Amino acid sequence: MVISKIIDKLPVELVEIELPVKSSALTHYKEEKIHPSLDKAKRILPWEVDSDGFFICKLRKTGDIIFCSV
């Protein structure tokens, strides 16, 4: 959900990544709106790799980010 908010607020896009895992990231959760491009992210489930679980995604900057202090 954090990545979804980042995509909505900043000029970035998710990039497809190739990993030998089957699980994509969640594209919906209860009533929460999640950005549809999150299907490019991956969830690495513990039983797929005999390890802890992980989440991975790759973001590409698509424009300038301007920060200003108030």
Side-chain angles (χ1 to χ4, degrees):
M1 304 220 9
V2 172
I3 300 298
S4 182
K5 291 179 191 257
I6 289 171
I7 294 169
D8 287 339
K9 294 181 184 273
L10 297 174
V12 295
E13 66 183 4
L14 255 74
V15 178
E16 191 75 41
I17 52 176
E18 294 294 324
L19 289 175
V21 295
K22 299 174 186 168
S23 302
S24 294
L26 298 177
T27 54
H28 65 280
Y29 180 75
K30 295 184 182 180
E31 301 299 320
E32 294 289 328
K33 178 186 168 193
I34 298 177
H35 200 278
S37 69
L38 246 76
D39 64 348
K40 296 177 182 176
K42 302 290 183 195
R43 289 185 303 150
I44 301 171
L45 303 173
W47 54 88
E48 289 181 331
V49 293
D50 194 27
S51 180
D52 291 334
F54 298 93
F55 171 85
I56 187 168
C57 69
K58 184 176 182 180
L59 295 170
R60 176 182 299 140
K61 187 173 144 183
T62 59
D64 291 333
I65 299 173
I66 300 172
F67 292 99
C68 62
S69 58
V70 177

